[in-house]
Amino acid sequence: MALIKNETRVGFIGLGIMGQHMAGHFLDAGYGLHVHNRTKSKADGLLGRGATWHDSPGEVAANTNVVITMVGYPADVEGIYLGDGGILARAKAGTYVIDMTTSEPSLAVRIFKAARKKGIHSLDAPVSGGDIGAREARLSIMVGGDKEDFDAILPLFEVMGENIRLQGGAGAGQHTKMCNQIVVAGNMLAAAEGLTYAMRSGLDPQAVLKSIGTGAAASFLLNTFGPKMITGDFAPGFFVHHFIKDMTIALKEAETMGIDLPALKTAKGLYDQIADAGAREEGTQALIKAYGT
Amino acid sequence: MALIKNETRVGFIGLGIMGQHMAGHFLDAGYGLHVHNRTKSKADGLLGRGATWHDSPGEVAANTNVVITMVGYPADVEGIYLGDGGILARAKAGTYVIDMTTSEPSLAVRIFKAARKKGIHSLDAPVSGGDIGAREARLSIMVGGDKEDFDAILPLFEVMGENIRLQGGAGAGQHTKMCNQIVVAGNMLAAAEGLTYAMRSGLDPQAVLKSIGTGAAASFLLNTFGPKMITGDFAPGFFVHHFIKDMTIALKEAETMGIDLPALKTAKGLYDQIADAGAREEGTQALIKAYGT
C-alpha cells in the first residue's frame, strides 16, 4: 500500500547532476525534502526552494521516513548505510531506504538483510536515462526487494521516472542495471567502430548516420552520441569514470557467475585507456578517442 | 533525370529471400521485369506474375536497360559482372547496372571503371532492413556512384525502399553498408552479453528487456532479436553465413585502412565458432549460443 503523502518526509542523500534533479521533483510534487551531500554547496538550489539541510546521512535518516541515496561508488554506499552512525544505525523501524546508486548486487543484499533485522524496508533501485531522464522525470527505474515495499514506494518512484519495474528480490535492481550497462558498453563500442570506419574510409560520417541510424544498426547511443563522437563534443552526460565503475562491477559479477563477456572486457579496457589519457571527467562518447580518430 | 517508366525494362538477378521481394515490387509498380537465378525454381512465383525468364545474367543484360543484382558473395558478383558473357560483356551502352549485394568496396570500384569504359552506368547500392524491409519496400539503400546516375535511378530505388541516400562515388555505398554491419555486429554482441548476464543472474530476461529496452541501452537489435535469443528462436531473418561474409569484408577493409576494430573481431570470432558448430543457416540472433546459454 502506498505511503500517505503528507506523512511522508523524503530524505535525499547525494546531490550530483542526477541527484539534484531527482530530489527537486519531490519539492515540485509537494513532499517535505531533507537533504545531505558531501559538498554542501551543491544543495544550495534545493535549500533555496525549501529543502532542509542535515549534516550527515544518519541525521537525514533520523528525521525522515523515506531515505533515498544517489552517491558515487559502492564504497560510498557501504559507508553511508552500514557505517557507524549511518543510515541503518539512525533510521527508525518502518523507514524505507532506497539506494538508487548503480552499485554491487551483493552489497544491496547485505544492506537488505541488515535493514530487515531492524525492521527497516530496503529497496535497490538504480536508474537509466542519464541527466536528461533525471531532469525530465523520465528515468527508467529497476527495482529489487519485497513486493509490498515496492508498492508502498511506487508513487515516489513515479515522481522521478516512468518505466518502473520490480525485477525480483534484493539485488535484482542492481543486476538489471548491470544488464543495461553491459548492453550500453557494447552499443558504444559498436557506434565508435562504425563511425571510425566511416571517417577513415573517407565517407561523410553525418551522412552515414542518416543512412544507418534508422534500420538494423539503430540504437539510442548511435543516434544520440554518434553526432558528438564525430564533432569531438565530449562534454559529460555520463562520466567516463562512473561508467568504468559500472563495468568493473559487471565484470566482477560475471566472473562470479563463471560467464565470459568479451565485448564488455574490450569496452572496459578501452575506457581505462582513455581515462588514463585524461578523459575521466569526459562523457562516455569519448570512447571514439581510443580508435585514434 | 529519371528514366521514363514505359521505356524501362528492369532485369533482376538473384532471387533469394530478399531478391524475390525486391523484384516483385517492380511488377506491382508496372515495370517490365526480366529475371535470372541460379536455381530456376525460385523464379516460379515471379514468372507466374508475368516476369520473363532468361538463362544467364548476360541474357538479362542484353534484354534490359536497368540490371539489378542481389546475389551472395563478392565472387558471385565478380563472376556475373566481369566474367565471359557476363553483364558488362552483354549490356548495351547506356544501360544502368546496380549491384545491391553487400560486397567489397574495391570490387564496386572495379566494376564501375570497367562499366564506364563501355558507356555503362554503374551504381553500388547495398541495403539494410532485412527480409521484412524487402517485403514491405522499406529498405534503407546506401548508394555509391555518379550523382546523375543516382538521380536517374532514384524512382526505381523508391520502388524498393525509403531511406535512399547517395553516399559518395563508386564504392561509397558498400563502405556505408560496412559501417552498418560493424554497428550491427557490436549491437548484437551487446544484446547477447546483456541477456546472458540476465539469464545467468537469475533474472527474468523478458522483464529485463522491458526495463532496458526503452532507455540508453535501446537498440533495434535488442528489441527485435533479444526476445528470440531468450526463447531460442533461431529461424533466419539474416543468415549467419552471410553476416560472416560481411564481417570478413569489413575486417579486410579495416586492415587496409590500418584501423583496429576489436569488437568487430570478437563478433567475427564468435560467429565463426557457432557456424562451425552448425549454425551457418540460422539467424544472426544465434550468437547467444556462443555464450553457452
Side-chain angles (χ1 to χ4, degrees):
Chain A
M1 236 183 47
L3 299 179
I4 296 164
K5 188 169 178 178
N6 62 17
E7 296 175 0
T8 304
R9 296 176 308 285
V10 176
F12 207 108
I13 297 160
L15 304 172
I17 299 177
M18 304 279 293
Q20 287 191 36
H21 290 301
M22 293 159 73
H25 295 310
F26 287 101
L27 289 174
D28 296 337
Y31 285 92
L33 181 69
H34 298 247
V35 300
H36 172 76
N37 191 58
R38 211 152 41 184
T39 308
K40 189 178 175 186
S41 60
K42 290 191 183 167
D44 288 349
L46 293 166
L47 299 180
R49 292 167 61 198
T52 304
W53 172 261
H54 295 281
D55 284 333
S56 72
E59 279 295 305
V60 171
N63 287 283
T64 56
N65 58 344
V66 176
V67 181
I68 299 172
T69 54
M70 186 71 179
V71 296
Y73 285 78
D76 303 321
V77 174
E78 186 171 11
I80 62 176
Y81 276 94
L82 303 174
D84 288 346
I87 293 169
L88 294 191
R90 300 289 306 277
K92 292 176 282 290
T95 300
Y96 291 82
V97 298
I98 306 154
D99 184 31
M100 304 187 79
T101 316
T102 297
S103 172
E104 294 172 3
S106 57
L107 177 56
V109 172
R110 280 168 59 209
I111 291 170
F112 177 87
K113 287 181 178 169
R116 171 169 277 182
K117 278 186 193 160
K118 308 192 63 176
I120 296 167
H121 310 279
S122 171
L123 295 167
D124 51 293
V127 303
S128 174
D131 53 336
I132 300 166
R135 191 167 57 237
E136 299 179 352
R138 292 180 55 194
L139 292 169
S140 176
I141 307 180
M142 300 155 252
V143 189
D146 287 344
K147 176 81 166 68
E148 314 86 83
D149 297 345
F150 175 78
D151 291 341
I153 295 300
L154 186 56
L156 278 75
F157 285 143
E158 286 169 345
V159 167
M160 299 177 281
E162 48 188 28
N163 184 5
I164 301 155
R165 290 176 191 275
L166 181 67
Q167 289 286 354
Q174 295 296 351
H175 274 312
T176 303
K177 180 65 189 285
M178 289 301 116
C179 298
N180 189 81
Q181 298 306 71
I182 292 165
V183 176
V184 164
N187 288 357
M188 201 66 98
L189 282 176
E193 296 200 357
L195 291 174
T196 295
Y197 182 104
M199 291 187 261
R200 295 290 282 274
S201 61
L203 296 170
D204 171 352
Q206 303 283 13
V208 169
L209 276 183
K210 287 185 186 144
S211 273
I212 74 175
T214 61
S219 73
F220 172 85
L221 293 174
L222 181 68
N223 288 313
T224 306
F225 290 120
K228 293 172 194 266
M229 286 180 172
I230 294 167
T231 58
D233 173 3
F234 302 134
F238 186 57
F239 288 122
V240 164
H241 70 96
H242 278 154
F243 194 41
I244 289 175
K245 173 212 39 167
D246 297 355
M247 290 188 286
T248 304
I249 297 169
L251 283 168
K252 186 179 153 193
E253 294 288 332
E255 198 183 351
T256 305
M257 293 183 249
I259 51 178
D260 189 31
L261 302 178
L264 178 62
K265 257 186 219 159
T266 297
K268 168 70 163 52
L270 295 176
Y271 273 106
D272 281 341
Q273 192 178 307
I274 63 165
D276 289 347
R280 274 179 52 83
E281 306 281 336
E282 293 184 338
T284 46
Q285 68 274 24
L287 178 63
I288 192 89
K289 289 180 171 185
Y291 291 88
T293 47
Chain B
M1 234 183 48
L3 300 178
I4 296 164
K5 188 168 178 175
N6 62 17
E7 293 175 1
T8 305
R9 296 177 307 287
V10 176
F12 207 107
I13 296 160
L15 303 172
I17 299 176
M18 304 280 294
Q20 287 190 36
H21 290 302
M22 292 158 74
H25 294 310
F26 287 101
L27 290 175
D28 296 337
Y31 284 92
L33 181 69
H34 298 245
V35 299
H36 173 76
N37 191 58
R38 209 151 47 183
T39 307
K40 190 179 175 184
S41 60
K42 290 190 183 168
D44 289 348
L46 293 166
L47 299 180
R49 291 167 60 198
T52 303
W53 174 261
H54 295 280
D55 283 332
S56 73
E59 278 297 304
V60 171
N63 287 283
T64 55
N65 57 345
V66 176
V67 181
I68 299 172
T69 54
M70 185 70 180
V71 297
Y73 284 80
D76 302 321
V77 173
E78 185 169 13
I80 62 177
Y81 275 93
L82 303 174
D84 287 346
I87 293 167
L88 294 191
R90 301 288 305 278
K92 291 174 285 289
T95 300
Y96 291 82
V97 300
I98 305 153
D99 184 30
M100 303 187 80
T101 316
T102 296
S103 173
E104 294 172 3
S106 56
L107 177 57
V109 173
R110 282 168 57 209
I111 291 171
F112 176 88
K113 286 181 178 168
R116 170 169 279 182
K117 277 186 194 159
K118 307 192 65 176
I120 295 167
H121 310 279
S122 171
L123 295 167
D124 50 295
V127 303
S128 174
D131 53 338
I132 299 167
R135 190 166 59 234
E136 298 179 354
R138 294 180 54 195
L139 292 169
S140 175
I141 307 179
M142 299 154 256
V143 189
D146 288 344
K147 176 78 168 71
E148 317 84 85
D149 297 345
F150 175 79
D151 291 342
I153 295 300
L154 187 55
L156 279 76
F157 285 143
E158 287 170 343
V159 167
M160 298 177 281
E162 46 187 31
N163 183 6
I164 302 155
R165 290 175 190 276
L166 181 67
Q167 289 286 353
Q174 296 296 352
H175 274 311
T176 303
K177 180 66 189 282
M178 289 301 118
C179 297
N180 189 81
Q181 298 305 72
I182 292 165
V183 177
V184 164
N187 288 356
M188 200 65 100
L189 282 176
E193 296 200 357
L195 291 175
T196 295
Y197 183 104
M199 291 187 261
R200 295 290 282 274
S201 61
L203 296 170
D204 171 353
Q206 303 284 12
V208 169
L209 276 183
K210 287 187 184 142
S211 272
I212 73 176
T214 61
S219 74
F220 173 84
L221 293 175
L222 180 68
N223 288 314
T224 307
F225 290 121
K228 293 173 195 263
M229 286 180 172
I230 294 167
T231 59
D233 172 4
F234 302 134
F238 186 57
F239 288 122
V240 163
H241 71 95
H242 278 152
F243 193 41
I244 289 175
K245 172 208 47 166
D246 297 355
M247 290 188 286
T248 303
I249 296 169
L251 282 169
K252 185 179 155 194
E253 294 287 331
E255 197 182 356
T256 306
M257 293 182 247
I259 51 178
D260 189 30
L261 302 177
L264 178 62
K265 256 185 218 162
T266 296
K268 167 73 161 51
L270 294 177
Y271 272 106
D272 282 342
Q273 193 179 307
I274 63 165
D276 290 348
R280 274 178 53 83
E281 306 281 335
E282 293 184 338
T284 46
Q285 70 273 24
L287 177 64
I288 191 87
K289 289 180 172 184
Y291 291 87
T293 48

